[in-house]
Amino acid sequence: TIEASRGNLETALAIYKKVINLQRKLLGSDNIAVATTSASMGDVYERLGDLAMAVGCYEESLRAKTAVLGRHNLQIARMFHKLGKVAFAQDDFNLADSYTSRV
């Protein structure tokens, strides 16, 4: 969102939460729009330092994108990269390696 780019991360999260709830209601969970919003929320949580919430968002995005796009897709690789980066930031190097080796 514009709010995230301006650094208003809490406001951005509030907007994303409203949007994703509406998307899930109208489109279902396995939808590329839901996956995109979830990944964006993960980015905001990561910027806030809430890595556990970032992982949850990234995993939701990965599940939805895999359901829609299949396993072999650049967007799937990007999600594994994001998950690996967060695991590395949490000093979980084995998990980081596990994620990044799937890219």
Side-chain angles (χ1 to χ4, degrees):
T1 67
I2 291 171
E3 294 299 329
S5 65
R6 291 180 179 163
N8 299 326
L9 302 180
E10 295 296 338
T11 302
L13 272 179
I15 292 168
Y16 283 136
K17 287 176 183 179
K18 288 178 183 177
V19 169
I20 203 166
N21 286 333
L22 185 60
Q23 287 173 330
R24 286 178 185 140
K25 183 178 178 181
L26 297 174
L27 305 171
S29 293
D30 290 340
N31 183 281
I32 201 70
V34 172
T36 301
T37 303
S38 184
S40 295
M41 286 176 65
D43 293 342
V44 173
Y45 278 119
E46 188 175 351
R47 286 176 62 188
L48 287 169
D50 191 340
L51 301 182
M53 288 298 291
V55 167
C57 291
Y58 291 154
E59 287 177 342
E60 177 183 7
S61 180
L62 177 63
R63 278 190 303 276
K65 286 181 180 187
T66 302
V68 174
L69 302 171
R71 172 66 181 87
H72 302 287
N73 185 283
L74 182 58
Q75 291 187 38
I76 304 303
R78 285 183 182 138
M79 293 315 307
F80 279 123
H81 173 74
K82 286 178 185 247
L83 284 162
K85 186 174 72 165
V86 171
F88 187 85
Q90 294 173 315
D91 294 331
D92 192 338
F93 305 117
N94 290 329
L95 184 58
D97 184 54
S98 172
Y99 282 131
T100 56
S101 68
R102 298 181 208 180
V103 171

